[in-house]
Amino acid sequence: DPQLTIHGAQTLDDAAAGTITLIDHADKLPVLAKSAASAAVVPADAELPSESSGIQVADGHAAFVKTVGHFRRRDRTGLGGT
């Protein structure tokens, strides 16, 4: 969703509106539907539910580490944006 604003990255258990989370196995996709997360990093072979926003990647853990790093750098530098 190009209109979606993401302001942070959190674990699935802590995810809130406006954050992106990690779904590292397809069997966790039903939990995403119950989560407040606005988007998720999901495995490339996972079928993302139509009502969910996300990024399908080959290596979810590596992608999520980069995502978390993006938001940490932004917080340290005071730079805004998503």
Side-chain angles (χ1 to χ4, degrees):
D1 178 1
Q3 302 302 314
L4 188 62
T5 299
I6 302 294
H7 59 78
Q10 295 181 318
T11 63
L12 186 57
D13 290 337
D14 296 328
T19 64
I20 190 167
T21 193
L22 171 65
I23 299 293
D24 57 357
H25 297 284
D27 61 345
K28 292 183 182 175
L29 284 169
V31 181
L32 178 60
K34 298 174 187 172
S35 168
S38 295
V41 174
V42 299
D45 61 349
E47 185 119 1
L48 192 63
S50 61
E51 68 277 359
S52 298
S53 293
I55 304 167
Q56 291 178 288
V57 296
D59 186 340
H61 289 272
F64 195 65
V65 166
K66 286 183 178 183
T67 302
V68 169
H70 166 78
F71 288 108
R72 286 193 177 161
R73 274 191 309 279
R74 187 196 69 191
D75 291 344
R76 280 195 314 265
T77 62
L79 298 175
T82 55

